[in-house]
Amino acid sequence: MWSMLHRLPSESSTLEKTMQLGSAAIIIFEHVYHLLEQQRSLEQQSVRPLRVALHQYMVSPNAVAVREAVSSAAHAYEAGFSRWIPGSTKRSQKKAELIDAITDVVLQHRLSIPEV
């Protein structure tokens, strides 16, 4: 996952990099949970579910879609603060919009749940 961040343009902000990593981690960890549940129900030996989920995410079109959507959301958020006043209502509203956008991205780009 860290290698994915290194492919981001060097001018990517800390916020954007953090959102990229966080979004990917949530999607991957949710998939790990489903893989573990599948193994438990089928009484299988561990096949390194984290490694499997990471690979499935990285080769899926979801990785690119998440990167593009998160980048767009982060840029839109940062563009609204050229003249920022600490504690302003505008900042709270923009932060809420960013959180909603990232949540939508994660929910829209989940990996498919393995069949049991």
Side-chain angles (χ1 to χ4, degrees):
M1 218 175 344
W2 185 248
S3 63
M4 181 176 80
L5 285 179
H6 289 292
R7 284 186 247 148
L8 291 172
S10 59
E11 66 272 1
S12 295
S13 69
T14 301
L15 172 69
E16 181 178 350
K17 289 177 182 178
T18 302
M19 292 292 176
Q20 294 284 356
L21 181 60
S23 299
I26 290 168
I27 293 167
I28 292 165
F29 290 144
E30 179 198 31
H31 198 62
V32 167
Y33 169 80
H34 292 297
L35 291 172
L36 287 169
E37 284 295 305
Q38 181 184 42
Q39 286 178 3
R40 187 181 61 79
S41 69
L42 298 175
E43 297 179 6
Q44 294 176 332
Q45 290 289 347
S46 174
V47 291
R48 297 186 172 159
L50 179 59
R51 189 170 289 185
V52 170
L54 177 60
H55 176 74
Q56 289 176 345
Y57 176 76
M58 294 303 291
V59 300
S60 75
N62 297 22
V64 173
V66 168
R67 188 169 54 243
E68 290 172 355
V70 168
S71 179
S72 177
H75 288 205
Y77 175 79
E78 291 168 332
F81 293 112
S82 58
R83 297 176 69 191
W84 170 68
I85 302 168
S88 71
T89 305
K90 180 181 177 186
R91 180 168 175 81
S92 297
Q93 179 183 355
K94 292 292 277 183
K95 190 182 293 185
E97 290 170 3
L98 175 64
I99 291 168
D100 289 345
I102 299 301
T103 301
D104 288 344
V105 167
V106 169
L107 292 174
Q108 290 173 10
H109 296 92
R110 298 162 74 187
L111 293 173
S112 59
I113 297 172
E115 300 269 335
V116 177

